[in-house]
Amino acid sequence: MQIKLDSRLMAAAELVLPDKPAADIGTDHSYLPVYLVVNGICPRVIATDKSRGSFQKAQQLVELLSLEHQIDVRLGDGLEPLQPQEAATIIISGMGGHLIKDILAASPHITAGCRRLVLQPQKHIAMLRQWLAANDWRIVAEQIAFDNGFYYELLAAEHGQMTLSEDEAVFGPLLLRDPHPLFGQYLRAKLADLHTLIEQLQEAPSTDAKQRLQTLQVLTDKIERILREEVNDEVKKC
C-alpha cells in the first residue's frame, strides 16, 4: 500500500530530522508516520491521538502494513503519551496556534529532550512564533504549502535564542529573509481576503468595527510594503 501525502503533510515530512525517531501528535490516520518509516526517513515513529476513534484508525493502518515494530500508536492527550528523549522530532500539525502552544507548555520535560519541533498552526502563527522566542526556541526553517485551495505555513524550531521584530513574528523571519517560492502568492491571497473583510466592516459603523478596521489596515499596509520590496528585489536581480 502506497501512502501519498498531501502538500501540507509532505512539507512537514521534509522538516523532520532524518535517521532519528519522531513523534506525530494528533496523528489521525497515521499517514505521516507511515510515510516517514516506509520511505526510510525515520527508523521509528510514535503516533499519538487523544481521540479513541483516530487512535483505532491509526492502529488499524499500522497493523495492515505490518509496521508495528516501527510505529508505536498511543492514546493520549498532547505530549502526555511520550517519555523524555523518545523522539528527536516532535510534529504537531493541523491545530490552532494557541493549542499548539498549550501542548508544548504543558510538557517542558518532554520538549527539553527533543531536538526539533515541526509545527503547522492553522492560525495565530505570530503568537506561536513569539512564544517560541520567549521560551528559548529559534526557528531554523520555514515553509509554505498549498493544498486544496488553502495556504499553510510550517516551521521547524530548535533549542536556542531568537529575537523577533513585529514583522518577523507575523510573516516569519526566514520567509522575509529568503522568501519561499509560494510566499508572494500566499501574501497576495491574504491581501485579497483582507480587502474583502475591510469592505464588509466598512458597512458596519460600530466602534468595534472601526477598531478592527484599523488593525486590518495596518496589516494590509505591511503586506503591500513587503510585496513592493519583493518586486524591487526581483528587478535588481535582472
Side-chain angles (χ1 to χ4, degrees):
M1 180 178 179
Q2 185 69 28
I3 294 294
K4 182 175 174 58
L5 299 182
D6 60 28
S7 299
R8 178 179 66 89
L9 289 180
M10 182 63 76
E14 292 172 354
L15 294 175
V16 171
L17 289 173
D19 304 318
K20 305 290 182 184
D24 182 32
I25 310 303
T27 193
D28 197 18
H29 290 80
S30 76
Y31 290 158
L32 180 55
V34 168
Y35 179 87
L36 292 173
V37 299
V38 167
N39 288 277
I41 298 170
C42 294
R44 181 172 178 270
V45 180
I46 301 166
T48 79
D49 209 293
K50 70 176 184 178
S51 162
R52 184 166 292 277
S54 295
F55 165 77
Q56 291 173 341
K57 287 186 294 185
Q59 205 167 39
Q60 289 169 1
L61 180 60
V62 169
E63 291 174 357
L64 176 66
L65 299 176
S66 300
L67 294 173
E68 299 96 324
H69 62 296
Q70 287 180 279
I71 300 177
D72 185 357
V73 184
R74 300 178 185 176
L75 179 66
D77 194 7
L79 305 184
E80 291 176 3
L82 303 184
Q83 295 298 316
Q85 299 183 339
E86 274 193 302
T89 302
I90 292 176
I91 309 155
I92 309 178
S93 65
M95 305 180 195
H98 284 287
L99 179 54
I100 291 175
K101 180 262 293 182
D102 290 343
I103 288 172
L104 296 173
S107 300
H109 63 296
I110 300 297
T111 58
C114 84
R115 289 176 49 188
R116 174 173 286 196
L117 303 174
V118 173
L119 310 175
Q120 184 269 301
Q122 299 289 67
K123 55 184 178 179
H124 301 134
I125 191 167
M127 177 282 305
L128 184 58
R129 287 190 181 105
Q130 290 170 331
W131 184 88
L132 290 170
N135 288 272
D136 297 328
W137 291 94
R138 62 183 180 90
I139 295 172
V140 296
E142 291 182 305
Q143 287 201 27
I144 295 175
F146 180 75
D147 186 69
N148 201 26
F150 294 95
Y151 289 92
Y152 301 94
E153 288 186 72
L154 300 95
L155 63 86
E158 298 180 354
H159 296 286
Q161 300 294 312
M162 174 176 67
T163 302
L164 296 175
S165 67
E166 185 176 337
D167 281 0
E168 287 173 334
V170 174
F171 301 106
L174 304 185
L175 289 174
L176 287 174
R177 192 180 311 156
D178 184 19
H180 186 277
L182 293 177
F183 189 51
Q185 296 176 36
Y186 167 64
L187 290 181
R188 291 181 184 91
K190 195 174 186 68
L191 190 61
D193 290 341
L194 285 170
H195 284 155
T196 299
L197 187 54
I198 287 172
E199 288 178 7
Q200 293 171 348
L201 287 173
Q202 285 173 337
E203 299 174 1
S206 68
T207 301
D208 289 344
K210 290 178 181 178
Q211 292 175 342
R212 179 70 173 144
L213 271 171
Q214 291 177 346
T215 301
L216 293 177
Q217 192 58 58
V218 169
L219 181 56
T220 297
D221 293 343
K222 287 182 177 181
I223 293 176
E224 290 176 341
R225 171 176 54 78
I226 292 170
L227 287 171
R228 285 196 301 271
E229 291 173 353
E230 188 180 68
V231 170
N232 290 336
D233 288 342
E234 289 299 319
V235 170
K236 290 177 182 176
K237 292 177 183 177
C238 296

